[in-house]
Amino acid sequence: MSEVSNPTLAAQDDESLWIADDYRNALRDARLDRFDAIMQTDRGFCLRALSDRENWQLRLNVNGRRRNLFLKKHHTHSRWRRLKAWLRLPDPPSAGRQEAINLRKLEAAGIPCMELAACGQRLRPDGLLESFLLTPELEGFVQLDDFLRTRFAPLDTARSGPRDPDLDRLTDRVAAVAARFHQAGFNHRDLYCCHFFVRENDSGDFEIRLIDLQRVQTRTKGRRRWLIKDLAQLAYSAPRDRIKCSLKMAFIRRYLGVRKLGPEHKRLIREVLAKQQAMESKLGRIA
């Protein structure tokens, strides 16, 4: 699993497991420093359990402080993987491994995202492919749609006036992260507001983190379609009672890095709006 190796993320003995230095003692003390121990643990709180994956919240002592960590477990089985295991072929990509790789790629590109505490993967002889990803809670951060609803007042449609400068600044920060993400060659495939996490710092500025990186891709062909989908997902999930049309235009100008929209920019906007309307027809509108 060399794709995620670096000086702060080292293999744990001969296990199919990698642990960041800052979390090695915490996992050892909790007896979670082995692959099977993490995959089989039922400590903490199960947030979701599906046929092929589970989401857990753990609370561990990390460097003398209690912290929440989120554990994603993945387990899939197929005859093809059983054959690969029998032939001792390289492990196929797994969901946990892929998200860890994507996280490291985003970090290298200077895109703010969550921290990686540990990850692992194992293909068992019976064809069961297991993997996990462990990330610490983004302390003080709130998902963007919830932050908009709690931090800013609903729009007053009966009055017109200047936009809230704090909301302008937040919009600028989100647009900058989205632009950097796409300019680095990535597309998210689930770029909803709930996957942008926001924290307001003491100076009144806003810090942004991008999460849920399992489906992130880099494409050289057909790229425009996926960028339009990302932008439409973001527009679709933005609370309508907090975001004015003028603010959406400010977002797209910041995203594109222009002061005035040209014909090619307006064409992009029309394509994003068409995709957003298709999503609303299929999924319904978000308030």
Side-chain angles (χ1 to χ4, degrees):
M1 198 162 153
S2 60
E3 295 95 331
V4 295
S5 62
N6 63 47
T8 64
L9 192 67
Q12 180 70 16
D13 300 329
D14 60 349
E15 289 276 304
S16 302
L17 167 68
W18 285 257
I19 302 176
D21 289 344
D22 288 345
Y23 298 90
R24 190 173 303 281
N25 291 339
L27 292 179
R28 182 197 61 208
D29 294 344
R31 298 183 179 180
L32 293 174
D33 57 345
R34 290 293 182 266
F35 184 87
D36 286 339
I38 289 183
M39 292 302 300
Q40 295 169 12
T41 186
D42 59 359
R43 66 183 298 163
F45 179 68
C46 183
L47 302 171
R48 181 175 62 168
L50 301 175
S51 61
D52 61 346
R53 62 189 182 277
E54 302 170 21
N55 294 74
W56 290 77
Q57 179 178 320
L58 311 179
R59 192 160 177 79
L60 303 177
N61 287 315
V62 181
N63 298 325
R65 187 163 64 90
R66 296 286 283 176
R67 293 196 63 184
N68 290 324
L69 293 97
F70 294 98
L71 173 63
K72 293 182 181 180
K73 303 180 191 179
H74 301 271
H75 36 82
T76 58
H77 191 279
S78 72
R79 292 180 179 178
W80 170 238
R81 289 199 174 104
R82 183 177 181 179
L83 177 61
K84 295 196 78 169
W86 182 72
L87 294 173
R88 296 186 178 181
L89 296 175
D91 292 356
S94 65
R97 176 182 180 180
Q98 191 60 59
E99 187 161 14
I101 293 170
N102 291 340
L103 191 158
R104 284 302 188 218
K105 287 181 177 178
L106 264 64
E107 285 183 338
I111 299 163
C113 53
M114 70 275 204
E115 182 184 358
L116 179 60
C119 58
Q121 171 176 309
R122 177 183 292 169
L123 179 60
R124 297 189 179 275
D126 63 355
L128 177 65
L129 179 63
E130 298 178 301
S131 65
F132 76 86
L133 185 87
L134 184 67
T135 57
E137 178 183 23
L138 288 168
E139 296 178 336
F141 284 81
V142 180
Q143 64 185 52
L144 177 58
D145 46 345
D146 289 343
F147 186 84
L148 287 167
R149 292 187 177 99
T150 57
R151 173 64 172 79
F152 299 100
L155 296 176
D156 186 350
T157 56
R159 299 177 56 187
S160 61
R163 297 195 304 262
D164 186 326
D166 289 342
L167 188 52
D168 268 359
R169 188 159 51 251
L170 174 58
T171 301
D172 185 81
R173 300 295 180 266
V174 173
V177 171
R180 191 185 314 164
F181 177 74
H182 285 159
Q183 288 166 3
F186 301 107
N187 63 276
H188 194 283
R189 301 169 70 193
D190 288 305
L191 200 67
Y192 297 99
C193 284
C194 62
H195 293 148
F196 285 87
F197 270 50
V198 184
R199 180 172 68 186
E200 188 170 9
N201 59 32
D202 293 339
S203 66
D205 205 353
F206 300 98
E207 302 172 44
I208 308 294
R209 299 289 185 274
L210 195 58
I211 71 161
D212 198 13
L213 309 176
Q214 178 185 333
R215 283 160 49 85
V216 167
Q217 296 176 322
T218 54
R219 290 175 175 268
T220 56
K221 295 182 179 180
R223 179 165 168 73
R224 184 180 180 88
R225 171 198 170 194
W226 294 96
L227 301 189
I228 289 168
K229 181 179 180 181
D230 276 358
L231 294 173
Q233 288 172 333
L234 188 56
Y236 168 78
S237 58
R240 294 176 178 275
D241 60 348
R242 298 300 194 275
I243 306 298
K244 293 181 178 180
C245 289
S246 61
L247 197 62
K248 292 180 180 179
M249 296 305 295
F251 171 91
I252 200 68
R253 285 195 296 270
R254 177 60 181 86
Y255 169 83
L256 293 169
V258 299
R259 291 188 176 183
K260 184 176 181 180
L261 298 172
E264 69 279 12
H265 306 137
K266 293 177 182 178
R267 184 167 58 252
L268 173 67
I269 293 172
R270 288 194 295 270
E271 293 179 71
V272 171
L273 290 175
K275 181 63 177 178
Q276 179 187 349
Q277 290 168 1
M279 293 176 65
E280 291 172 354
S281 298
K282 180 178 179 180
L283 304 173
R285 299 181 69 177
I286 294 179

